[in-house]
Amino acid sequence: MLLMAFPFWALIFSGFALFYPQFFVDLKSWIVPLLMAVMLGMGLTLSWKDFKQVWHNRRVVGLGIGIQFLIMPLTAWALSLLMGLSLELTIGMMLVGATAGGTASNVMAYLAKGDVALSVSMTLVSTLAAVVMLPFLTWFYLGQSVDVPVTSMLWMLLKLIVLPLLFGMALNKLFHDKLSKIMPVFPLFSMGVILLIIAIVVALNQANLQTLAWPVLLAVILHNITGLLCGYWLTRKLGYDSVIARTVAIEVGMQNSGLSVALALHYFSATSALPGALFSIWHNLSGSVFASYWQQKDKDK
């Protein structure tokens, strides 16, 4: 029941942060530790067998990566043209469209009762692929050259995902019986963390949101929905079950918008960072709705 209300709480937190950003802007440094804590909690629910099983789903990983770097960049470019966005905003859309899956996708896969091990594996593979694909796709579509910070990007991935997960899995192996008693608390904890992160992101981008152009918001929404629908529909069409399909959908639809914002600010302009900032907010809202739907559907079975 609490998870079903999560999208509404996300809207409330977003609205509060928009009008009272002073409560959240100073919490920017909390984002990384909070995500690490969530990944640790996920690790407590996983075992090594879960990742061994991913090898049997390597075709699914390949499918997700294909959608990630074929359909998503093309959709970003097409929507930018359709909405008549400026070059700066189009650059921002392409940086979102050509990037890897975001770490928040692992959280949403967890909440949606998807395959978390598969989600994490796809994030790892797509992030490594993005080192090459992001600058290539940006050049291919726009003729703009972007240097991807390879070392810092991989270290952030290691710090945010791999180390907390491994630590959580180790704790699960050593103290499984004791930890099983508090397992039901983890989804609620994850929801609270995501709500706080959404509020922080909104507060940090308050100035950009006040000058919001509706065509940009519509492009961001349509881009995200395209990823969710294509990820789910194509995976189901190939004969995989809904657990695998919802995992791929979330992984494809939830891009690493944080990296997109960082690259836009460093190499282009604040205007180019706006699509990534909007995506950071929107994909958490849409992802929570998607997760809520599957949580409820699984309960009704």
Side-chain angles (χ1 to χ4, degrees):
M1 190 68 182
L2 285 172
L3 184 58
M4 286 300 293
F6 182 59
F8 302 101
W9 281 110
L11 287 173
I12 291 171
F13 270 65
S14 297
F16 187 81
L18 184 63
F19 290 103
Y20 302 100
Q22 64 272 20
F23 291 103
F24 300 101
V25 289
D26 292 334
L27 304 181
K28 181 180 179 181
S29 61
W30 287 28
I31 293 178
V32 170
L34 286 172
L35 283 174
M36 290 173 67
V38 173
M39 298 307 296
L40 173 65
M42 284 187 213
L44 293 172
T45 68
L46 296 172
S47 68
W48 300 111
K49 293 180 181 178
D50 294 315
F51 284 94
K52 288 181 180 178
Q53 186 63 30
V54 170
W55 175 249
H56 299 294
N57 291 323
R58 56 189 181 277
R59 290 184 180 178
V60 181
V61 175
L63 172 64
I65 301 304
I67 300 172
Q68 189 95 55
F69 293 111
L70 290 174
I71 294 178
M72 295 304 278
L74 178 60
T75 302
W77 178 74
L79 286 171
S80 298
L81 289 181
L82 184 64
M83 300 295 172
L85 301 185
S86 66
L87 176 60
E88 288 182 308
L89 290 173
T90 301
I91 290 171
M93 284 294 298
M94 287 307 306
L95 289 174
V96 171
T99 194
T103 52
S105 65
N106 309 137
V107 179
M108 291 304 173
Y110 173 56
L111 295 177
K113 295 188 177 296
D115 189 328
V116 176
L118 176 62
S119 177
V120 172
S121 299
M122 290 178 65
T123 300
L124 288 168
V125 174
S126 68
T127 300
L128 292 172
V131 173
V132 175
M133 296 305 294
L134 195 154
F136 169 74
L137 289 167
T138 307
W139 167 82
F140 179 79
Y141 281 100
L142 300 175
Q144 300 285 339
S145 178
V146 181
D147 294 322
V148 178
V150 179
T151 304
S152 60
M153 185 177 176
L154 291 177
W155 166 240
M156 182 60 70
L157 177 70
L158 183 70
K159 183 169 65 173
L160 270 179
I161 301 177
V162 180
L163 293 180
L165 267 178
L166 290 177
F167 186 55
M169 290 169 69
L171 290 176
N172 183 30
K173 186 174 179 62
L174 293 172
F175 308 105
H176 179 74
D177 292 337
K178 294 180 180 179
L179 289 171
S180 61
K181 299 177 182 178
I182 59 172
M183 288 294 182
V185 177
F186 295 145
L188 187 61
F189 170 74
S190 299
M191 287 188 288
V193 169
I194 290 296
L195 286 173
L196 181 55
I197 290 174
I198 290 173
I200 296 171
V201 170
V202 171
L204 291 172
N205 289 283
Q206 189 219 28
N208 286 332
L209 293 172
Q210 286 181 332
T211 58
L212 175 63
W214 288 105
V216 186
L217 178 60
L218 183 58
V220 165
I221 291 173
L222 290 175
H223 186 249
N224 170 246
I225 291 175
T226 298
L228 289 172
L229 292 178
C230 284
Y232 188 84
W233 183 77
L234 289 174
T235 307
R236 289 291 280 165
K237 278 293 182 182
L238 290 175
Y240 294 97
D241 62 29
S242 68
V243 173
I244 298 297
R246 74 185 73 163
T247 304
V248 174
I250 291 172
E251 185 65 29
V252 171
M254 299 189 69
Q255 306 284 78
N256 191 342
S257 50
L259 177 63
S260 304
V261 170
L263 290 173
L265 290 173
H266 186 75
Y267 294 104
F268 299 102
S269 65
T271 302
S272 295
L274 183 56
L278 289 172
F279 204 93
S280 294
I281 300 164
W282 171 256
H283 79 173
N284 280 301
L285 293 173
S286 66
S288 66
V289 171
F290 191 81
S292 297
Y293 170 79
W294 284 110
Q295 275 270 352
Q296 189 60 37
K297 190 162 185 177
D298 286 347
K299 286 180 182 178
D300 293 340
K301 287 181 179 180

